[in-house]
Amino acid sequence: MGRPLSESAERAAAAVDPAAIAADLGALVRVPSLTGRERPAVELLATLAEERGLAAVVHQHDLAQLRAADGYPGEEAARDELLG
């Protein structure tokens, strides 16, 4: 058996809403998100986070700069943008 949770961990665990998590996950997996074309899913994830009171920013990485970096490993699929 593991250690008991701290008071803050207990509060965090009590705040988890399994039904809300399932609903958000269901919404997210219904959005097409092929490698290299993830924008709709990333934008939905940001929206869901904001609806939960979290700060969310969809950041577009400089793909040309990443590709030019030493040790860049390449890509698994063609892409026009990289979001995070």
Side-chain angles (χ1 to χ4, degrees), residues 24 42-58:
D24 289 349
V42 172
E43 288 176 344
L44 176 59
L45 188 57
T47 298
L48 293 171
E50 289 173 348
E51 289 173 355
R52 303 292 178 265
L54 302 171
V57 175
V58 175

Side-chain angles (χ1 to χ4, degrees), residues 5-48:
L5 295 176
S6 68
E7 184 179 327
S8 61
E10 288 280 355
R11 284 194 314 270
V16 172
D17 181 349
I21 292 171
D24 289 349
L25 182 57
L28 186 59
V29 299
R30 283 190 295 275
V31 175
S33 179
L34 301 173
T35 300
R37 301 194 192 312
E38 299 96 344
R39 180 174 286 279
V42 172
E43 288 176 344
L44 176 59
L45 188 57
T47 298
L48 293 171

